[in-house]
Amino acid sequence: MEAFEEHWLHHPHRRYEWDWREEVESWENRPSHFEVAIWCNSYLSGLAVGKVSDGKLVLSVYLLEGSPVDTHPLKGLVRFCVVEAAEAYATILGCEELHLRKPVDGALPLYFDMGFFLAINQANVVVCSKELNR
């Protein structure tokens, strides 16, 4: 959280206003929650948080953000890192699908290239969905 606050929090190129310290703390007490920090060397490159559905059929990533610094070492690759980590965690738990909740329009083609498709989940929320091989 220190790296987030030092390098991201007030960065002029941040796309989202999420306070990651607050977000992570709000997820800590949820069973089977998912959180990941993507580091390259000593540089924080990405953050994500999500949870597993009650029936453990779906892992949903609620928030995903790459570093706003244009020169960070994993520019353009954070989504792959997050999805790999999420797929591994979901597979361990026996989930059947991975969802990226409320994807931003600009990211849709990127997620489609990764094998996701657009869907509406049971809560009537737009998601990018991907079936997992178990």
Side-chain angles (χ1 to χ4, degrees):
M1 291 299 97
E2 291 170 8
F4 159 75
E5 290 167 349
E6 183 178 341
H7 299 287
W8 293 25
L9 184 59
H10 300 293
H11 195 283
H13 296 129
R14 261 190 98 205
R15 295 181 186 174
Y16 313 107
E17 296 296 322
W18 303 320
D19 180 333
W20 279 97
R21 181 177 298 276
E22 194 174 287
E23 290 295 339
V24 168
E25 288 173 0
S26 75
W27 288 87
E28 283 179 337
N29 295 325
R30 296 175 189 231
S32 301
H33 76 280
F34 169 79
E35 61 183 63
V36 64
I38 307 298
W39 292 84
C40 185
N41 300 320
S42 61
Y43 194 82
L44 178 63
S45 294
L47 292 167
V49 66
K51 72 177 188 96
V52 177
S53 64
D54 291 337
K56 292 192 177 181
L57 296 176
V58 178
L59 170 60
S60 296
V61 175
Y62 280 64
L63 303 175
L64 185 162
E65 183 177 4
S67 171
V69 179
D70 289 336
T71 58
H72 79 85
L74 294 178
K75 184 77 174 168
L77 301 175
V78 169
R79 63 190 159 102
F80 293 104
C81 298
V82 169
V83 167
E84 283 292 322
E87 285 182 359
Y89 185 57
T91 299
I92 289 167
L93 295 176
C95 297
E96 296 176 1
E97 294 180 32
L98 175 61
H99 288 177
L100 306 176
R101 285 179 57 102
K102 299 181 182 177
V104 295
D105 290 338
L108 290 177
L110 302 174
Y111 297 141
F112 295 158
D113 285 346
M114 296 174 71
F116 287 89
F117 60 91
L118 205 55
I120 304 290
N121 70 7
Q122 290 181 343
N124 209 29
V125 174
V126 174
V127 298
C128 281
S129 181
K130 183 177 186 180
E131 290 185 24
L132 301 174
N133 298 328
R134 298 195 303 160

